[in-house]
Amino acid sequence: MKSDDDTRFVRLRPGLQLVAVTTGACVVAWTIFATAILLMDAISAGNLRDRAIRDHQTYEERLQFIAEERDARIREAIAAQSRFNSALDHISVMQSQILELESRQRELEAGIDGIQSTLRREIKQHQNARDMIASLQDSSVTAPIASSQPNAHATVEEILSDALAETASERDHSAKRALEAHDRAEDLEFDLTLFQEKNNQILRQIEEAVTISLVPLEQMFLNAGLEPDRIIELVRRGYSGKGGPLVSDITPVLGEDGRLLSPRNGELLAQIDRLNLFAIASTLVPFAMPVKGVFRHTSGFGFRRDPKTGRRRMHNGIDLAAAYGSDILATADGVVTDVGWRSGFGKLVRIRHDFGIETLYAHNSKILVKKGQKVSRGDHIADMGNTGRSTGTHLHYEIRVGGKPINPMTYIKAAKDVFKN
């Protein structure tokens, strides 16, 4: 150590030097190790961030793909519904044609009966004329001559001649009318044959169309857990009046004497009647979607982690998220039984449908219906909102059967599969 006027030397013992060198080496080593750890953490954090970004992008792409696929399925369902309605209209037209053809057939049969009666009458008249001619000829040969005067004999010959001429004329006229009646009968029989062939062709087309439509409709109700025969019987009771909506009456296939004209036509109209009843039932069961347009399926039916508490709880419906104020639609015909603010649900609409089914629409921003009001499938009943126990704008949608919550996707998927097919 050097000062202003002196220089001092400090001697370090070997042990102290070793300690100093060791301490310095440890400091350097720790610095290097800490720097390496910081660099590794930075690199790892960067990789995790990049991976999180990639996962987020993949998730968004998957959501976009699901949304596009859902929209495609919705468009297919709408197109299938349109085809189904067109088929019903076509069947209705064909049903009218069947009734018209039945009436035409009765007219042709009545015409044939009239012609046959006329033909028999003309043949009988023709036979009577021939018998009269034969009788007059016999009388002219065997009758005694009452007078020998020429004038009396001439008078008898003139009377016989006139009678024979008149009888021959009537015979020819009867024969001509009989021939015309026979030709007319053949023409009518040919027309009747053509009519029956055309009628059979139309019946085959209708039978195929009805069969193709009935099978998927029955399967739709089975997939939704509903017994088709029971549903049909309940609908039939509600629409039993003459002229009820879409319900056919079996009496048009009966003749004036009350007998069935065609068993095949009766069976076909019974199938059409069943198809019409299914069409009515499909509007009474909530097969439709409560939201149209662009939306997200944010939560399903069943146990889930509660978004508020984080605990595991049962979710009795499905959540569909869309823009604030989006239209909420009734999924089936029914009567509004409850509206207003309900704890947890916010602004709620409850609709009672047939067959013990009810639907709930919760967290609405605005309610457009009143208690006791009748609604039809597709009616605008509320606007989507964020009221009640909710973390964001969405619709909580429930279906209950006999008071028990049922997964709404069971009904939605059942209808989608039918319309898709």
Side-chain angles (χ1 to χ4, degrees), residues 97-118:
Q97 291 179 352
I98 289 176
L99 299 178
E100 183 179 353
L101 291 175
E102 288 286 354
S103 177
R104 176 61 177 168
Q105 182 178 5
R106 288 195 298 269
E107 293 176 358
L108 291 175
E109 291 175 350
I112 291 175
D113 292 339
I115 291 174
Q116 289 176 347
S117 299
T118 302

PDB file of all heavy atoms in Angstrom, residues 97-118:
ATOM      1  N   GLN A  97    -106.688 -35.023 -56.462  1.00  0.00           N
ATOM      2  CA  GLN A  97    -106.815 -35.732 -57.738  1.00  0.00           C
ATOM      3  C   GLN A  97    -107.452 -37.112 -57.543  1.00  0.00           C
ATOM      4  O   GLN A  97    -108.254 -37.560 -58.371  1.00  0.00           O
ATOM      5  CB  GLN A  97    -105.440 -35.871 -58.401  1.00  0.00           C
ATOM      6  CG  GLN A  97    -104.860 -34.553 -58.881  1.00  0.00           C
ATOM      7  CD  GLN A  97    -103.484 -34.741 -59.497  1.00  0.00           C
ATOM      8  OE1 GLN A  97    -102.902 -35.820 -59.426  1.00  0.00           O
ATOM      9  NE2 GLN A  97    -102.956 -33.688 -60.092  1.00  0.00           N
ATOM     10  N   ILE A  98    -107.085 -37.769 -56.444  1.00  0.00           N
ATOM     11  CA  ILE A  98    -107.669 -39.084 -56.182  1.00  0.00           C
ATOM     12  C   ILE A  98    -109.173 -38.973 -56.013  1.00  0.00           C
ATOM     13  O   ILE A  98    -109.952 -39.758 -56.581  1.00  0.00           O
ATOM     14  CB  ILE A  98    -107.038 -39.713 -54.927  1.00  0.00           C
ATOM     15  CG1 ILE A  98    -105.591 -40.129 -55.224  1.00  0.00           C
ATOM     16  CG2 ILE A  98    -107.826 -40.928 -54.460  1.00  0.00           C
ATOM     17  CD1 ILE A  98    -104.868 -40.666 -54.037  1.00  0.00           C
ATOM     18  N   LEU A  99    -109.604 -37.984 -55.221  1.00  0.00           N
ATOM     19  CA  LEU A  99    -111.038 -37.804 -55.005  1.00  0.00           C
ATOM     20  C   LEU A  99    -111.759 -37.469 -56.314  1.00  0.00           C
ATOM     21  O   LEU A  99    -112.860 -37.949 -56.579  1.00  0.00           O
ATOM     22  CB  LEU A  99    -111.270 -36.702 -53.969  1.00  0.00           C
ATOM     23  CG  LEU A  99    -110.684 -36.965 -52.577  1.00  0.00           C
ATOM     24  CD1 LEU A  99    -110.946 -35.791 -51.666  1.00  0.00           C
ATOM     25  CD2 LEU A  99    -111.256 -38.239 -51.991  1.00  0.00           C
ATOM     26  N   GLU A 100    -111.102 -36.635 -57.144  1.00  0.00           N
ATOM     27  CA  GLU A 100    -111.707 -36.293 -58.433  1.00  0.00           C
ATOM     28  C   GLU A 100    -111.789 -37.515 -59.348  1.00  0.00           C
ATOM     29  O   GLU A 100    -112.792 -37.723 -60.045  1.00  0.00           O
ATOM     30  CB  GLU A 100    -110.867 -35.199 -59.095  1.00  0.00           C
ATOM     31  CG  GLU A 100    -111.435 -34.712 -60.422  1.00  0.00           C
ATOM     32  CD  GLU A 100    -110.587 -33.615 -61.040  1.00  0.00           C
ATOM     33  OE1 GLU A 100    -109.648 -33.143 -60.376  1.00  0.00           O
ATOM     34  OE2 GLU A 100    -110.867 -33.238 -62.183  1.00  0.00           O
ATOM     35  N   LEU A 101    -110.722 -38.344 -59.330  1.00  0.00           N
ATOM     36  CA  LEU A 101    -110.731 -39.546 -60.147  1.00  0.00           C
ATOM     37  C   LEU A 101    -111.777 -40.545 -59.669  1.00  0.00           C
ATOM     38  O   LEU A 101    -112.413 -41.243 -60.462  1.00  0.00           O
ATOM     39  CB  LEU A 101    -109.340 -40.193 -60.134  1.00  0.00           C
ATOM     40  CG  LEU A 101    -108.239 -39.407 -60.865  1.00  0.00           C
ATOM     41  CD1 LEU A 101    -106.899 -40.075 -60.669  1.00  0.00           C
ATOM     42  CD2 LEU A 101    -108.557 -39.277 -62.353  1.00  0.00           C
ATOM     43  N   GLU A 102    -111.966 -40.625 -58.343  1.00  0.00           N
ATOM     44  CA  GLU A 102    -113.019 -41.497 -57.820  1.00  0.00           C
ATOM     45  C   GLU A 102    -114.394 -41.049 -58.318  1.00  0.00           C
ATOM     46  O   GLU A 102    -115.239 -41.859 -58.701  1.00  0.00           O
ATOM     47  CB  GLU A 102    -112.978 -41.479 -56.288  1.00  0.00           C
ATOM     48  CG  GLU A 102    -111.806 -42.214 -55.677  1.00  0.00           C
ATOM     49  CD  GLU A 102    -111.972 -43.715 -55.766  1.00  0.00           C
ATOM     50  OE1 GLU A 102    -113.044 -44.172 -56.207  1.00  0.00           O
ATOM     51  OE2 GLU A 102    -111.027 -44.435 -55.401  1.00  0.00           O
ATOM     52  N   SER A 103    -114.626 -39.733 -58.296  1.00  0.00           N
ATOM     53  CA  SER A 103    -115.903 -39.202 -58.784  1.00  0.00           C
ATOM     54  C   SER A 103    -116.079 -39.499 -60.264  1.00  0.00           C
ATOM     55  O   SER A 103    -117.162 -39.889 -60.713  1.00  0.00           O
ATOM     56  CB  SER A 103    -115.961 -37.692 -58.527  1.00  0.00           C
ATOM     57  OG  SER A 103    -117.147 -37.137 -59.045  1.00  0.00           O
ATOM     58  N   ARG A 104    -115.002 -39.314 -61.047  1.00  0.00           N
ATOM     59  CA  ARG A 104    -115.055 -39.608 -62.476  1.00  0.00           C
ATOM     60  C   ARG A 104    -115.338 -41.085 -62.731  1.00  0.00           C
ATOM     61  O   ARG A 104    -116.110 -41.439 -63.636  1.00  0.00           O
ATOM     62  CB  ARG A 104    -113.720 -39.201 -63.128  1.00  0.00           C
ATOM     63  CG  ARG A 104    -113.601 -39.542 -64.601  1.00  0.00           C
ATOM     64  CD  ARG A 104    -114.655 -38.845 -65.421  1.00  0.00           C
ATOM     65  NE  ARG A 104    -114.472 -39.138 -66.849  1.00  0.00           N
ATOM     66  CZ  ARG A 104    -115.362 -38.869 -67.787  1.00  0.00           C
ATOM     67  NH1 ARG A 104    -116.524 -38.306 -67.444  1.00  0.00           N
ATOM     68  NH2 ARG A 104    -115.114 -39.153 -69.047  1.00  0.00           N
ATOM     69  N   GLN A 105    -114.725 -41.939 -61.888  1.00  0.00           N
ATOM     70  CA  GLN A 105    -114.947 -43.369 -62.043  1.00  0.00           C
ATOM     71  C   GLN A 105    -116.413 -43.722 -61.792  1.00  0.00           C
ATOM     72  O   GLN A 105    -117.005 -44.530 -62.504  1.00  0.00           O
ATOM     73  CB  GLN A 105    -114.047 -44.144 -61.082  1.00  0.00           C
ATOM     74  CG  GLN A 105    -114.184 -45.653 -61.211  1.00  0.00           C
ATOM     75  CD  GLN A 105    -113.238 -46.380 -60.281  1.00  0.00           C
ATOM     76  OE1 GLN A 105    -112.562 -45.777 -59.485  1.00  0.00           O
ATOM     77  NE2 GLN A 105    -113.204 -47.695 -60.394  1.00  0.00           N
ATOM     78  N   ARG A 106    -117.019 -43.115 -60.772  1.00  0.00           N
ATOM     79  CA  ARG A 106    -118.436 -43.367 -60.498  1.00  0.00           C
ATOM     80  C   ARG A 106    -119.311 -42.911 -61.679  1.00  0.00           C
ATOM     81  O   ARG A 106    -120.280 -43.579 -62.045  1.00  0.00           O
ATOM     82  CB  ARG A 106    -118.845 -42.635 -59.212  1.00  0.00           C
ATOM     83  CG  ARG A 106    -118.279 -43.256 -57.942  1.00  0.00           C
ATOM     84  CD  ARG A 106    -119.003 -42.726 -56.715  1.00  0.00           C
ATOM     85  NE  ARG A 106    -118.839 -41.288 -56.572  1.00  0.00           N
ATOM     86  CZ  ARG A 106    -117.865 -40.717 -55.877  1.00  0.00           C
ATOM     87  NH1 ARG A 106    -116.963 -41.473 -55.268  1.00  0.00           N
ATOM     88  NH2 ARG A 106    -117.778 -39.402 -55.774  1.00  0.00           N
ATOM     89  N   GLU A 107    -118.953 -41.755 -62.277  1.00  0.00           N
ATOM     90  CA  GLU A 107    -119.721 -41.277 -63.424  1.00  0.00           C
ATOM     91  C   GLU A 107    -119.615 -42.244 -64.602  1.00  0.00           C
ATOM     92  O   GLU A 107    -120.622 -42.537 -65.282  1.00  0.00           O
ATOM     93  CB  GLU A 107    -119.225 -39.886 -63.837  1.00  0.00           C
ATOM     94  CG  GLU A 107    -119.513 -38.804 -62.792  1.00  0.00           C
ATOM     95  CD  GLU A 107    -118.927 -37.463 -63.208  1.00  0.00           C
ATOM     96  OE1 GLU A 107    -118.283 -37.412 -64.283  1.00  0.00           O
ATOM     97  OE2 GLU A 107    -119.112 -36.483 -62.465  1.00  0.00           O
ATOM     98  N   LEU A 108    -118.404 -42.749 -64.864  1.00  0.00           N
ATOM     99  CA  LEU A 108    -118.224 -43.688 -65.970  1.00  0.00           C
ATOM    100  C   LEU A 108    -118.999 -44.975 -65.718  1.00  0.00           C
ATOM    101  O   LEU A 108    -119.629 -45.538 -66.642  1.00  0.00           O
ATOM    102  CB  LEU A 108    -116.734 -43.990 -66.160  1.00  0.00           C
ATOM    103  CG  LEU A 108    -115.874 -42.828 -66.699  1.00  0.00           C
ATOM    104  CD1 LEU A 108    -114.410 -43.233 -66.711  1.00  0.00           C
ATOM    105  CD2 LEU A 108    -116.331 -42.422 -68.094  1.00  0.00           C
ATOM    106  N   GLU A 109    -118.948 -45.468 -64.483  1.00  0.00           N
ATOM    107  CA  GLU A 109    -119.681 -46.689 -64.182  1.00  0.00           C
ATOM    108  C   GLU A 109    -121.188 -46.484 -64.350  1.00  0.00           C
ATOM    109  O   GLU A 109    -121.905 -47.360 -64.864  1.00  0.00           O
ATOM    110  CB  GLU A 109    -119.357 -47.143 -62.762  1.00  0.00           C
ATOM    111  CG  GLU A 109    -117.916 -47.651 -62.611  1.00  0.00           C
ATOM    112  CD  GLU A 109    -117.576 -47.970 -61.177  1.00  0.00           C
ATOM    113  OE1 GLU A 109    -118.382 -47.610 -60.289  1.00  0.00           O
ATOM    114  OE2 GLU A 109    -116.518 -48.575 -60.947  1.00  0.00           O
ATOM    115  N   ALA A 110    -121.678 -45.305 -63.908  1.00  0.00           N
ATOM    116  CA  ALA A 110    -123.105 -45.009 -64.082  1.00  0.00           C
ATOM    117  C   ALA A 110    -123.461 -44.920 -65.571  1.00  0.00           C
ATOM    118  O   ALA A 110    -124.521 -45.388 -66.009  1.00  0.00           O
ATOM    119  CB  ALA A 110    -123.462 -43.702 -63.366  1.00  0.00           C
ATOM    120  N   GLY A 111    -122.579 -44.307 -66.384  1.00  0.00           N
ATOM    121  CA  GLY A 111    -122.821 -44.212 -67.817  1.00  0.00           C
ATOM    122  C   GLY A 111    -122.873 -45.572 -68.482  1.00  0.00           C
ATOM    123  O   GLY A 111    -123.713 -45.841 -69.341  1.00  0.00           O
ATOM    124  N   ILE A 112    -121.947 -46.466 -68.067  1.00  0.00           N
ATOM    125  CA  ILE A 112    -121.939 -47.818 -68.640  1.00  0.00           C
ATOM    126  C   ILE A 112    -123.223 -48.554 -68.273  1.00  0.00           C
ATOM    127  O   ILE A 112    -123.832 -49.241 -69.105  1.00  0.00           O
ATOM    128  CB  ILE A 112    -120.702 -48.588 -68.148  1.00  0.00           C
ATOM    129  CG1 ILE A 112    -119.427 -47.985 -68.770  1.00  0.00           C
ATOM    130  CG2 ILE A 112    -120.801 -50.066 -68.500  1.00  0.00           C
ATOM    131  CD1 ILE A 112    -118.153 -48.594 -68.257  1.00  0.00           C
ATOM    132  N   ASP A 113    -123.662 -48.414 -67.022  1.00  0.00           N
ATOM    133  CA  ASP A 113    -124.916 -49.061 -66.608  1.00  0.00           C
ATOM    134  C   ASP A 113    -126.106 -48.549 -67.437  1.00  0.00           C
ATOM    135  O   ASP A 113    -126.976 -49.326 -67.863  1.00  0.00           O
ATOM    136  CB  ASP A 113    -125.164 -48.812 -65.118  1.00  0.00           C
ATOM    137  CG  ASP A 113    -124.156 -49.522 -64.235  1.00  0.00           C
ATOM    138  OD1 ASP A 113    -123.539 -50.490 -64.719  1.00  0.00           O
ATOM    139  OD2 ASP A 113    -123.970 -49.108 -63.077  1.00  0.00           O
ATOM    140  N   GLY A 114    -126.144 -47.213 -67.691  1.00  0.00           N
ATOM    141  CA  GLY A 114    -127.238 -46.648 -68.495  1.00  0.00           C
ATOM    142  C   GLY A 114    -127.232 -47.167 -69.922  1.00  0.00           C
ATOM    143  O   GLY A 114    -128.285 -47.495 -70.496  1.00  0.00           O
ATOM    144  N   ILE A 115    -126.031 -47.239 -70.497  1.00  0.00           N
ATOM    145  CA  ILE A 115    -125.924 -47.719 -71.879  1.00  0.00           C
ATOM    146  C   ILE A 115    -126.329 -49.186 -71.972  1.00  0.00           C
ATOM    147  O   ILE A 115    -127.019 -49.616 -72.909  1.00  0.00           O
ATOM    148  CB  ILE A 115    -124.498 -47.500 -72.404  1.00  0.00           C
ATOM    149  CG1 ILE A 115    -124.236 -45.989 -72.578  1.00  0.00           C
ATOM    150  CG2 ILE A 115    -124.281 -48.228 -73.720  1.00  0.00           C
ATOM    151  CD1 ILE A 115    -122.824 -45.663 -72.952  1.00  0.00           C
ATOM    152  N   GLN A 116    -125.900 -49.970 -70.971  1.00  0.00           N
ATOM    153  CA  GLN A 116    -126.282 -51.385 -70.996  1.00  0.00           C
ATOM    154  C   GLN A 116    -127.795 -51.543 -70.866  1.00  0.00           C
ATOM    155  O   GLN A 116    -128.402 -52.408 -71.506  1.00  0.00           O
ATOM    156  CB  GLN A 116    -125.556 -52.121 -69.868  1.00  0.00           C
ATOM    157  CG  GLN A 116    -124.057 -52.275 -70.105  1.00  0.00           C
ATOM    158  CD  GLN A 116    -123.348 -52.925 -68.946  1.00  0.00           C
ATOM    159  OE1 GLN A 116    -123.912 -53.048 -67.858  1.00  0.00           O
ATOM    160  NE2 GLN A 116    -122.100 -53.340 -69.172  1.00  0.00           N
ATOM    161  N   SER A 117    -128.429 -50.716 -70.017  1.00  0.00           N
ATOM    162  CA  SER A 117    -129.896 -50.771 -69.888  1.00  0.00           C
ATOM    163  C   SER A 117    -130.571 -50.417 -71.208  1.00  0.00           C
ATOM    164  O   SER A 117    -131.539 -51.063 -71.650  1.00  0.00           O
ATOM    165  CB  SER A 117    -130.361 -49.821 -68.782  1.00  0.00           C
ATOM    166  OG  SER A 117    -129.808 -50.186 -67.535  1.00  0.00           O
ATOM    167  N   THR A 118    -130.051 -49.342 -71.853  1.00  0.00           N
ATOM    168  CA  THR A 118    -130.616 -48.943 -73.161  1.00  0.00           C
ATOM    169  C   THR A 118    -130.449 -50.054 -74.191  1.00  0.00           C
ATOM    170  O   THR A 118    -131.368 -50.338 -74.990  1.00  0.00           O
ATOM    171  CB  THR A 118    -129.919 -47.663 -73.655  1.00  0.00           C
ATOM    172  OG1 THR A 118    -130.091 -46.625 -72.677  1.00  0.00           O
ATOM    173  CG2 THR A 118    -130.508 -47.206 -74.975  1.00  0.00           C
TER     174      THR A 118
END
